[in-house]
Amino acid sequence: MKGAIPVGAPILDGATLDGEGGAHAYSAVRRAGVGLTRGRHLMAIRRKGGPLLFSTAVIALTAGFALYAHGLQTGFGAKRYPLSARFISANGLAPGADVMISGVPVGRVDTIRLNPASAMAEVAFEVDDRLHFPTDSTLSVGSATMSGDNALIIEPGASSVLTKAGDVLGNTREPMSLEQQVSNYIFGNGGLPD
């Protein structure tokens, strides 16, 4: 029988469990307040305590990472205002992509959808509430580095009218091809006008 006390093993105050004194030894253990099942229960708790502690730590770590990832997507509570733009092609741009000015992330792309009436891609994005740029700014899809993900890039214009929540910006460029990006990276713009 599993967990049984072997015959001849000392139990309490020299009493042993043998064929004849077994019942007497068991009752001596019970009178002393030592429960055999209680001891087994405590051992089971000790054995299960390690995995329980480890599981709790994993869950806490996962929750912390989820909060951090959510903060990255929402700007850790930074106030933003919505804008949108229409592109002939938004190829390579994805929801969650950075919105950048001068290589600095200033917002996030929310949604990209096709307008069936105009057959143009409508990109909805949010920009830091403290940042308002000219409404004639140029928007394009590109990457700041050769290995980076595509972003919505804003090149500030010269207008005195600044963006406000809900504006639709129309001065957009098609995404550059990989060949054009490589050429610009190696040679600059080659002295050609933008």
Side-chain angles (χ1 to χ4, degrees):
M1 178 163 98
K2 185 177 180 183
I5 300 171
V7 173
I11 300 294
L12 184 67
D13 293 331
T16 59
L17 184 63
D18 54 16
E20 296 177 17
H24 177 70
Y26 179 74
S27 63
V29 169
R30 294 290 291 190
R31 280 193 305 268
V34 179
L36 294 176
T37 57
R38 181 172 174 247
R40 287 185 191 146
H41 180 68
L42 289 175
M43 287 178 58
I45 289 174
R46 285 187 200 125
R47 269 188 264 133
K48 292 180 183 177
L52 180 64
L53 181 63
F54 179 76
S55 298
T56 304
V58 168
I59 290 170
L61 188 63
T62 302
F65 179 75
L67 288 173
Y68 176 73
H70 178 70
L72 284 177
Q73 291 296 318
T74 60
F76 293 103
K79 297 214 183 266
R80 295 181 174 168
Y81 66 99
L83 295 169
S84 62
R86 292 188 182 105
F87 287 85
I88 292 172
S89 171
N91 188 26
L93 192 63
D98 285 332
V99 176
M100 302 180 97
I101 296 179
S102 300
V104 178
V106 295
R108 290 267 181 209
V109 173
D110 285 332
T111 60
I112 302 170
R113 68 178 194 91
L114 180 66
N115 182 334
S118 65
M120 293 184 76
E122 291 184 355
V123 177
F125 60 99
E126 292 181 335
V127 176
D128 189 337
D129 197 30
R130 299 170 292 168
L131 177 69
H132 295 272
F133 50 91
T135 55
D136 67 342
S137 298
T138 303
L139 282 76
S140 62
V141 176
S143 175
T145 64
M146 289 303 297
S147 61
D149 292 332
N150 280 342
L152 182 61
I153 299 172
I154 301 172
E155 297 174 28
S159 174
S160 61
V161 179
L162 301 178
T163 56
K164 62 185 179 312
D167 281 352
V168 178
L169 304 173
N171 191 9
T172 60
R173 286 192 208 150
E174 289 184 54
M176 283 191 282
S177 68
L178 180 60
E179 293 84 11
Q180 184 63 43
Q181 288 183 26
V182 170
S183 175
N184 287 349
Y185 182 75
I186 294 173
F187 304 110
N189 68 356
L192 300 173
D194 286 334

